[in-house]
Amino acid sequence: MKHYNNLLSAFLLFSILFMASCSQIEEALDSGGLEINSAESVGELRKLIEEKFGPEKEVFALKIYAKDHLSSDLNNLAIGYLEKGLQYRQNYYVELGLESNKLEDPKPASKSFQKPFFLKKLQGKVKVKDFKIEEIASKFDEAMQMIPQEYEEFVLHEWEYEVNNQNEITAEFMLEGTKKGEGSTRQGRNVITNYYQFKFKMDKTGKLTLKN
């Protein structure tokens, strides 16, 4: 019990507000979404990543984000890479305001992050096609087993691959879930749901660690 108390002190509690009057709109946006933690969707997710950024593109980072808290539907993808000695980022958004399926133009990092202190740590690279996207679903399942049993209804909120200077791939990712028995409460037209975040690190061998 003491171990769990210390562990839980590192978890962050947040509240999300859902407008009851907007629930039908949210359901419409969620329907048919690409779930980033679903084993059935990994093939489609890989295809989308390679289609938008190119399978041969060499990058030092690949990041995958869900559209909202307690949702596993894809919102955006991002890559980080070096070009002519400068670091760039490029984003793809499933939905961006009134637009959809928007691939933004590459953007250089700010001048403060173009200094040798930062660039020297970004010399590793792999091709987009070499990321093991198929492992995300199984690592999500493995991570769920490491979370205390009083939590449930987990989703993958974000997954971030990083490539070190030895071209080794690691990842950090975050699960979100609810606590059993808490439920939601209503305040006027708002429905409030507490959610908890659990951060994990995956080393180059695939071993997972629950971060404090």
Side-chain angles (χ1 to χ4, degrees), residues 16-203:
I16 4 180
L17 298 177
F18 295 98
M19 296 297 294
S21 61
C22 295
S23 60
Q24 292 182 339
I25 297 175
E26 290 296 323
E27 290 176 1
L29 290 174
D30 288 343
S31 64
L34 178 57
E35 294 187 356
I36 62 177
N37 54 236
S38 169
E40 291 74 26
S41 300
V42 291
E44 187 177 352
L45 180 59
R46 170 178 286 282
K47 181 179 179 181
L48 181 65
I49 292 170
E50 293 185 3
E51 175 186 301
K52 298 303 177 182
F53 301 121
E56 301 295 326
K57 182 70 175 179
E58 293 182 324
V59 303
F60 61 74
L62 170 64
K63 303 183 179 184
I64 304 167
Y65 301 106
K67 73 187 324 183
D68 205 348
H69 296 293
L70 293 182
S71 169
S72 61
D73 285 349
L74 176 66
N75 180 69
N76 71 291
L77 306 167
I79 56 171
Y81 62 94
L82 294 181
E83 185 172 304
K84 296 181 180 179
L86 298 177
Q87 63 165 309
Y88 287 81
R89 179 186 176 101
Q90 187 173 26
N91 290 288
Y92 163 74
Y93 289 92
V94 177
E95 295 173 1
L96 183 63
L98 298 177
E99 301 182 70
S100 61
N101 298 321
K102 180 176 178 59
L103 180 64
E104 293 189 333
D105 293 332
K107 296 179 180 178
S110 64
K111 290 184 178 180
S112 59
F113 288 100
Q114 303 289 10
K115 296 179 180 180
F117 176 81
F118 296 103
L119 295 177
K120 68 181 182 181
K121 302 176 183 179
L122 304 175
Q123 299 304 307
K125 59 186 178 182
V126 300
K127 294 180 179 180
V128 166
K129 67 179 183 181
D130 292 333
F131 288 105
K132 298 179 180 179
I133 305 300
E134 292 74 16
E135 73 184 346
I136 293 177
S138 61
K139 293 302 179 182
F140 169 74
D141 290 339
E142 183 180 343
M144 284 195 296
Q145 304 306 314
M146 299 171 65
I147 298 175
Q149 294 184 357
E150 60 259 45
Y151 298 92
E152 61 182 356
E153 298 180 352
F154 299 107
V155 298
L156 179 61
H157 183 61
E158 61 186 37
W159 182 284
E160 300 182 343
Y161 278 119
E162 300 287 347
V163 182
N164 65 21
N165 285 356
Q166 289 72 48
N167 299 328
E168 297 167 337
I169 301 173
T170 62
E172 294 192 5
F173 60 98
M174 181 189 296
L175 271 62
E176 292 184 341
T178 59
K179 195 170 186 179
K180 294 178 180 178
E182 280 194 345
S184 301
T185 58
R186 183 178 293 274
Q187 294 184 1
R189 298 175 61 194
N190 297 331
V191 176
I192 301 176
T193 303
N194 293 329
Y195 68 91
Y196 299 79
Q197 295 183 329
F198 305 88
K199 295 182 179 181
F200 292 83
K201 183 175 181 64
M202 183 185 76
D203 68 16

